[in-house]
Amino acid sequence: MEFRDLKRQYQVHKQEIDHAVREVIDGAHFISGPQVTQLERELAAYVGVGDCIACANGTDALQLALMAWEIGAGDAVFVPDFTFFSSGEVVPLVGAVPVFVDIDKDTYNISADSLREAIEYVLHHTDLNPRAVVAVDLFGQPADYEAVRQVADKYGLLVLEDAAQGFGGMTEEKKACSFGDISITSFFPAKPLGCYGDGGAVFTDNEEWAQRLKSLHVHGKGSDKYDNVRIGLNSRLDTLQAAVLLQKVRFFEEEIAACERVAAEYDERLREIVKTPVILDGMRSSWAQYTICLRDAQEREHVMAQMKADGIPSAVYYRKPMHRQEAFAGMLCGAERCENTAYICDRCLSLPMHPYMEEAELRAVCESLKKAVG
């Protein structure tokens, strides 16, 4: 059994994907080909924003956003303590200081109350200048942007939406990657909309920032690639990846609907024995992961071992809070009090989740899990 079955996805859509790849190879326009421009146009329309700038990966997308805002030395950027490393990694890369913030215990997304406390701490106990908050759409569900925006607006912070896992998610009628002042996503193969390598994109309605991003992601170019007006990155999405993504966009909504059906089946079968995911009213998750919570770390290790013995994969996202990562030693701001993060890190477990799961596979996962927890 696959944790996220990309092989099955390819077999179902092999003909159209192969044709798209062949067109790129026949045309031999491997960098910045017409498929990249078409993808940017289609994704901007899908999300409902003015500009999409495709880039090499989701981490670069985050860094490009901070660079566009000229965030650097002396600035504080607030990041959830429970997220993938890159959400915080990009902050010191531009010279700023990451300040880690606790999460909501049910949704695993950033806590607006904890964000407010962290901003107050920075203002009263440091010389740092609060500049931005990275709000992560974890596991596919958008953060509570109404609450985050209230805090950000009060203190004059920019909002960077990290929808690396959340592309395709929604709040009411508004799609992920439209909530931030700048928003980003990742096209890593296992993401809801994934390519066949690395890829990412940046979204914004601000024309000035969009023009700056278009320069920054190609060596800070000006009128052409040999006119360099600022220090930038080499962060282009290659044409082959764009061609694959253009095909996957065609059936993306169908895949989200299929994942919703899988999640509903999991909920029905598991809600009495473990804590199942909480999706807030008015929210749609794109189900990058289906993550349960167990009683403690010991039970989690037992469950993982039992499921492995039954031939069923599982994964832990994430075992260690961000502020405990060795890479951030010496640059932490304040005494992090992220109790919910510590609690979830010890208990969370992600189960196989993808649009092509069959009934027998889903039943096997649930039966193994039930057996393991007794």
Side-chain angles (χ1 to χ4, degrees):
M1 185 185 301
E2 298 285 341
F3 187 74
R4 196 164 186 96
D5 201 334
L6 300 178
K7 298 174 185 175
R8 197 174 298 173
Q9 180 196 57
Y10 172 64
Q11 290 303 319
V12 172
H13 301 283
K14 184 178 188 300
Q15 184 174 351
E16 56 264 45
I17 292 173
D18 285 356
H19 177 72
V21 170
R22 280 197 304 272
E23 281 193 323
V24 176
I25 296 173
D26 289 343
H29 199 163
F30 300 114
I31 301 295
S32 302
Q35 290 88 339
V36 177
T37 303
Q38 182 183 350
L39 178 70
E40 290 173 331
R41 186 168 56 249
E42 290 194 16
L43 293 182
Y46 174 83
V47 168
V49 298
D51 279 287
C52 168
I53 299 93
C55 61
N57 55 71
T59 305
D60 279 3
L62 288 165
Q63 184 173 345
L64 286 163
L66 298 181
M67 292 171 70
W69 287 334
E70 298 180 335
I71 288 175
D75 292 332
V77 178
F78 301 86
V79 182
D81 203 30
F82 187 69
T83 184
F84 183 62
F85 184 68
S86 64
S87 301
E89 178 184 25
V90 295
V91 179
L93 280 175
V94 299
V97 175
V99 181
F100 295 109
V101 178
D102 207 2
I103 57 168
D104 179 87
K105 205 171 184 178
D106 287 331
T107 66
Y108 314 137
N109 281 329
I110 191 168
S111 161
D113 290 337
S114 182
L115 173 61
R116 184 181 299 106
E117 292 173 4
I119 296 169
E120 286 289 333
Y121 179 90
V122 167
L123 289 172
H124 293 101
H125 298 280
T126 79
D127 295 326
L128 295 171
N129 179 30
R131 287 290 308 281
V133 53
V134 179
V136 179
D137 301 342
L138 203 69
F139 301 152
Q141 177 173 208
D144 184 351
Y145 284 98
E146 182 178 356
V148 169
R149 182 64 72 176
Q150 286 179 357
V151 177
D153 288 350
K154 177 180 178 181
Y155 293 97
L157 268 62
L158 294 159
V159 176
L160 173 52
E161 179 188 5
D162 180 351
Q165 296 181 15
F167 196 76
M170 296 177 67
T171 299
E172 302 297 345
E173 298 302 315
K174 195 171 182 180
K175 287 190 171 72
C177 284
S178 70
F179 298 109
D181 296 303
I182 293 179
S183 303
I184 72 94
T185 196
S186 167
F187 302 127
F188 183 80
K191 293 296 192 290
L193 180 63
C195 57
Y196 288 163
D198 273 317
V202 190
F203 299 82
T204 186
D205 271 325
N206 185 296
E207 180 60 26
E208 179 184 350
W209 294 340
Q211 292 306 314
R212 201 176 300 169
L213 287 160
K214 290 173 185 178
S215 167
L216 284 166
H217 90 298
V218 187
H219 300 290
K221 73 183 180 79
S223 57
D224 62 59
K225 66 179 180 179
Y226 298 116
D227 173 36
N228 306 97
V229 297
R230 54 177 59 86
I231 301 299
L233 302 177
N234 177 20
S235 187
R236 298 167 297 196
L237 180 71
D238 72 71
T239 312
L240 280 168
Q241 303 306 333
V244 170
L245 288 165
L246 279 169
Q247 296 308 309
K248 288 195 173 188
V249 166
R250 308 287 183 262
F251 51 84
F252 184 50
E253 285 292 324
E254 295 174 16
E255 289 196 332
I256 294 176
C259 283
E260 289 180 312
R261 291 191 291 270
V262 173
E265 283 294 321
Y266 270 145
D267 288 348
E268 182 66 27
R269 297 170 190 233
L270 299 177
R271 65 166 55 101
E272 299 299 326
I273 64 167
V274 296
K275 182 180 179 181
T276 53
V278 175
I279 305 300
L280 299 181
D281 290 343
M283 293 277 194
R284 179 179 82 168
S285 175
S286 55
W287 294 106
Q289 311 293 344
Y290 185 92
T291 303
I292 62 173
C293 257
L294 297 158
R295 285 188 288 258
D296 51 41
Q298 290 73 28
E299 183 180 56
R300 181 174 68 187
E301 295 307 309
H302 170 72
V303 168
M304 292 183 73
Q306 177 65 60
M307 294 180 75
K308 183 178 180 180
D310 291 339
I312 296 171
S314 60
V316 177
Y317 303 90
Y318 304 92
R319 289 184 180 272
K320 187 187 294 187
M322 292 281 276
H323 78 268
R324 293 182 188 168
Q325 296 287 355
E326 183 179 351
F328 294 122
M331 65 178 72
L332 296 176
C333 171
E336 285 70 22
R337 292 176 295 176
C338 297
E339 296 175 357
N340 289 343
T341 296
Y343 181 92
I344 299 301
C345 281
D346 283 344
R347 292 164 175 81
C348 63
L349 183 67
S350 296
L351 305 179
M353 163 58 81
H354 59 83
Y356 304 93
M357 282 193 76
E358 298 174 352
E359 167 63 24
E361 293 173 318
L362 197 148
R363 183 171 61 250
V365 173
C366 295
E367 289 177 353
S368 179
L369 178 61
K370 289 178 180 179
K371 177 173 62 177
V373 299

